Amino acid sequence: MSTLIITSLNALSFGLLLFLLSAGLTLIFSMMGVLNFAHAGFYMLGAYLAYTLGLHVGFFPALFLAPLLVGGLGMAVERFGLRSVHAYGHVAELLFTFGLSYIIEEIVQLIWGKAPVSYPVPELLSGDAFTVLGAPFPSYRLFLMLVSVAALLVLYGIIKKTRVGLVVQAALTHPDMVEALGHDVPKVFMLVFGVGIALAALAGTAGAPMAVTEPAMAQAIGPIVFVVVVLGGIGSLKGAFIAALLLGFTQNFAILFDVSPYQIILDAFGSRVAAVFDQEFMRITIAQSAPLLPFALMVLVLLVRPQGLCGNRGGGL
């Protein structure tokens, strides 16, 4: 029972981190129609920048300063880069963000090197928050969950409850009308892009002490983020939330089952039936296939519902 509860909490913390990262990508795509391939690169940049700032100002100030700085960089990228290629269509935008991801990776390696950097959990959060039937749950994972929930509640409040949010939602579906009412739509797009990038950087800042801060961290998390966005429905924050939690639980529980489909059939039906399924790929355990499960789940969902779990053709968050 303790293993079940602790694994569920770990899955929840990982799912919330995935949503924090994918929410920015979803927001950008909803507003601008840009599938930002450099999103995971900004996540990595947030982690490295927080590491450097943390050496001088401490972990907690860096937790807020790094996303602000990376978000400002994102706004500059939109204003002086992405906006310039927008007139050439979506292919040009994809190529721009794809190239930008490699530039960010090279810059990280030039400044911080190719070896991992030591980004430890702060001493205040290095202990255990509580125990469940003798099994400890780390304080930092609880802190990560609280940061993710707080950031997403603030994002939801801004979008749904403020005048700025109303302008953003209106610009999503009726940009010409919003511009006719006197609002600067390009500036709105720049702000949204910056907020989306800041969310990615916050995910990197908060999540890096749990992972390895290295130049390959963007490549490791990037594909999973796109799976979350596609699985939930491109442009749907609600769908991204459901998909992120679903993948968090799928991957965390999969590693508990060190048993293969062949072994399951053998135990259930005996050797005669199992002999029919005695193939090499059937002997791969569920734990070993955990990294592939998100992609398999995405394919299964898209076969039944091509628009994703909560996607729609009418737009909207």
Side-chain angles (χ1 to χ4, degrees):
M1 181 59 70
S2 63
T3 301
L4 178 64
I5 296 175
I6 294 298
T7 302
S8 297
L9 290 172
N10 288 335
L12 182 60
S13 65
F14 180 60
L16 287 172
L17 179 65
L18 277 181
F19 181 47
L20 184 61
L21 181 53
S22 60
L25 185 60
T26 299
L27 189 65
I28 291 170
F29 184 85
S30 297
M31 280 296 299
M32 306 173 64
V34 176
L35 201 55
N36 180 20
F37 279 112
H39 201 72
F42 286 108
Y43 157 83
M44 175 177 64
L45 191 58
Y48 272 97
L49 192 58
Y51 158 75
T52 300
L53 289 173
L55 296 176
H56 301 283
V57 300
F59 173 82
F60 293 102
L63 181 67
F64 296 99
L65 290 175
L68 290 177
L69 292 174
V70 178
L73 177 62
M75 293 173 66
V77 167
E78 194 283 331
R79 174 61 183 84
F80 300 105
L82 194 57
R83 192 179 301 182
S84 301
V85 302
H86 178 70
Y88 299 98
H90 294 304
V91 174
E93 292 172 341
L94 290 176
L95 289 175
F96 176 84
T97 59
F98 189 75
L100 182 60
S101 67
Y102 279 97
I103 292 175
I104 292 174
E105 184 176 343
E106 289 298 323
I107 290 174
V108 165
Q109 292 184 21
L110 285 173
I111 297 176
W112 288 281
K114 296 183 179 181
V117 298
S118 177
Y119 191 175
V121 172
E123 186 176 351
L124 182 63
L125 301 171
S126 61
D128 297 326
F130 53 83
T131 58
V132 179
L133 300 177
F137 186 72
S139 297
Y140 193 81
R141 281 191 175 271
L142 179 61
F143 172 75
L144 176 61
M145 294 166 66
L146 294 176
V147 169
S148 300
V149 171
L152 298 170
L153 285 176
V154 170
L155 176 64
Y156 177 83
I158 291 175
I159 292 176
K160 298 297 184 181
K161 305 295 183 181
T162 67
R163 183 178 178 83
V164 173
L166 291 176
V167 173
V168 169
Q169 291 185 80
L172 171 61
T173 53
H174 300 87
D176 295 335
M177 182 63 70
V178 172
E179 196 161 26
L181 292 173
H183 297 286
D184 190 342
V185 172
K187 186 176 292 185
V188 172
F189 285 173
M190 183 178 68
L191 177 63
V192 168
F193 193 85
V195 170
I197 295 303
L199 286 174
L202 179 60
T205 302
M210 289 195 333
V212 179
T213 306
E214 60 175 346
M217 63 188 299
Q219 297 178 9
I221 197 69
I224 304 298
V225 175
F226 280 98
V227 169
V228 170
V229 173
V230 174
L231 180 60
I234 295 179
S236 171
L237 282 175
K238 177 184 176 182
F241 179 74
I242 295 173
L245 293 184
L246 182 60
L247 293 186
F249 277 85
T250 298
Q251 286 202 290
N252 276 269
F253 274 93
I255 60 177
L256 296 180
F257 298 96
D258 192 21
V259 59
S260 66
Y262 171 80
Q263 188 62 46
I264 294 174
I265 296 172
L266 179 63
D267 294 340
F269 303 102
S271 57
R272 282 184 127 181
V273 176
V276 179
F277 300 93
D278 190 7
Q279 303 293 329
E280 190 66 30
F281 70 92
M282 292 293 288
R283 291 181 176 270
I284 299 175
T285 65
I286 296 175
Q288 289 173 327
S289 63
L292 299 177
L293 290 180
F295 303 97
L297 184 61
M298 180 184 68
V299 171
L300 290 175
V301 170
L302 293 183
L303 286 174
V304 178
R305 188 176 170 83
Q307 66 269 40
L309 294 174
C310 298
N312 60 78
R313 293 181 174 84
L317 296 171

